[in-house]
Amino acid sequence: MRRTSRVIALSATTALVAVLAAGCSSTPSTSADSGSTAADKKTITIGFNPGPYLEMFTEGIEPILEEEGYTVETKDFTDGVIVNVALSDGEIDANIMQHPVYLEAINQQEGLSNAALVQVPGPPMALFGGKKATLDEVGKGATVAVPNQPANQYRALKVLEAVGWVTLSDDIDPATTSLADVVKNPHDLSFVEMENAQQVPALEDVDYSVIQGNFVVSGGLKLTDALQLEDLTDEFSVVVAVDEKNLDSDWAKAIEAAYESDAFADYITSNSQYDGYHLPTALER
């Protein structure tokens, strides 16, 4: 896995960043300690969506930042677009809830200039049984729930391809994936597109469901109970996102260093709840 201090999205979305940078202006920060300059900023506000990243941050990262003199505040969000707009508007300084492909898609959709700062450990997409208990029970017309967002639907379909249930188009694009990219469906699977947050509650209503990792964890499921786990790659691994104008700020560098520190690596490896997570290269010991 390639070692980088900042995670870069897929090449197709990288070109998009240049276009956005030319057409978007920055919004002045209105963060919690707006009276301070960028150089002496000591209060950092982080936004989170449901999932394991808040606990990981408060237990593994916040103590490191506090030792360096920073005060951390957190805010909860339930929508991926709103938390990114809040970041761009300066309501929060960073968010931890998305992978680079989704980040760039929202940048394009909303005209934002948020950027990936550092990759964090994350749970992979997972295929769970609902009405069916094993992969062998799949039959004609089985219902399979998948996320309704293109990038995460791409990941879900790749999991289904890995177990041999579908064949996907050779020119499938993660940013624009749809069910039309399924070119072979030998079991005549019936796909049910859902919001990520609804997949765990609706699991008993479908035969199978391919669920994004953070919703697996927040929904009380265990990755070790999954029928199949995604081979998670860096492009779809969650990152800390900041407004691109803050990438080189002292506080952003402090967050980056904390996520790549020995202390955080020890925290992750000593907690079994993170077993099965995809680890950034910087944390591989």
Side-chain angles (χ1 to χ4, degrees):
M1 187 162 44
R2 185 164 50 88
R3 170 73 167 88
T4 59
S5 60
R6 295 197 178 100
V7 183
I8 302 174
L10 294 175
S11 58
T13 57
T14 302
L16 173 62
V17 178
V19 175
L20 290 174
C24 301
S25 59
S26 298
T27 302
S29 174
T30 57
S31 55
D33 58 341
S34 56
S36 64
T37 65
D40 61 13
K41 177 181 175 64
K42 287 298 181 179
T43 299
I44 309 171
T45 305
I46 315 289
F48 295 88
N49 274 9
Y53 304 107
L54 175 58
E55 180 179 356
M56 183 188 297
F57 180 88
T58 56
E59 294 188 3
I61 297 298
E62 189 171 347
I64 299 173
L65 295 176
E66 288 178 339
E67 287 183 1
E68 298 180 9
Y70 290 97
T71 298
V72 176
E73 299 177 354
T74 63
K75 289 190 176 183
D76 295 328
F77 295 82
T78 58
D79 181 88
V81 175
I82 293 174
V83 69
N84 275 302
V85 173
L87 176 57
S88 181
D89 287 347
E91 179 184 341
I92 57 177
D93 299 304
N95 64 44
I96 308 171
M97 42 65 65
Q98 64 193 322
H99 52 67
V101 176
Y102 183 80
L103 169 65
E104 298 305 336
I106 300 303
N107 275 351
Q108 179 185 33
Q109 175 181 310
E110 301 296 322
L112 309 179
S113 57
N114 299 331
L117 175 69
V118 64
Q119 186 186 121
V120 309
M125 191 82 73
L127 171 61
F128 280 88
K131 296 178 181 179
K132 306 294 185 181
T134 68
L135 295 177
D136 292 339
E137 293 180 58
V138 65
K140 287 287 185 180
T143 53
V144 182
V146 295
N148 62 1
Q149 302 158 330
N152 287 325
Q153 189 169 111
Y154 168 85
R155 299 168 62 194
L157 293 177
K158 293 296 286 185
V159 172
L160 297 178
E161 187 174 51
V163 297
W165 288 1
V166 299
T167 301
L168 303 178
S169 169
D170 290 336
D171 58 357
I172 188 171
D173 180 353
T176 60
T177 292
S178 73
L179 295 178
D181 289 301
V182 177
V183 295
K184 291 184 181 180
N185 182 6
H187 296 291
D188 195 24
L189 301 176
S190 177
F191 296 104
V192 182
E193 297 177 284
M194 290 186 181
E195 291 287 341
N196 289 314
Q198 299 304 314
Q199 287 189 260
V200 173
L203 185 57
E204 63 183 15
D205 299 323
V206 295
D207 294 317
Y208 301 94
S209 190
V210 192
I211 308 172
Q212 190 173 335
N214 57 308
F215 289 97
V216 169
V217 175
S218 65
L221 300 178
K222 295 182 178 179
L223 290 171
T224 51
D225 291 334
L227 303 178
Q228 178 78 15
L229 292 176
E230 171 190 27
D231 183 12
L232 187 58
T233 59
D234 288 349
E235 292 88 354
F236 296 106
S237 296
V238 166
V239 296
V240 178
V242 300
D243 190 301
E244 66 178 3
K245 69 177 182 290
N246 293 323
L247 282 170
D248 293 319
S249 65
D250 289 343
W251 58 266
K253 290 180 179 178
I255 293 174
E256 181 179 5
Y259 271 105
E260 295 182 341
S261 67
D262 289 339
F264 182 60
D266 291 342
Y267 165 76
I268 291 295
T269 57
S270 63
N271 283 273
S272 60
Q273 71 197 75
Y274 301 120
D275 289 350
Y277 277 46
H278 174 72
L279 298 183
T281 303
L283 295 185
E284 294 178 349
R285 298 291 191 267

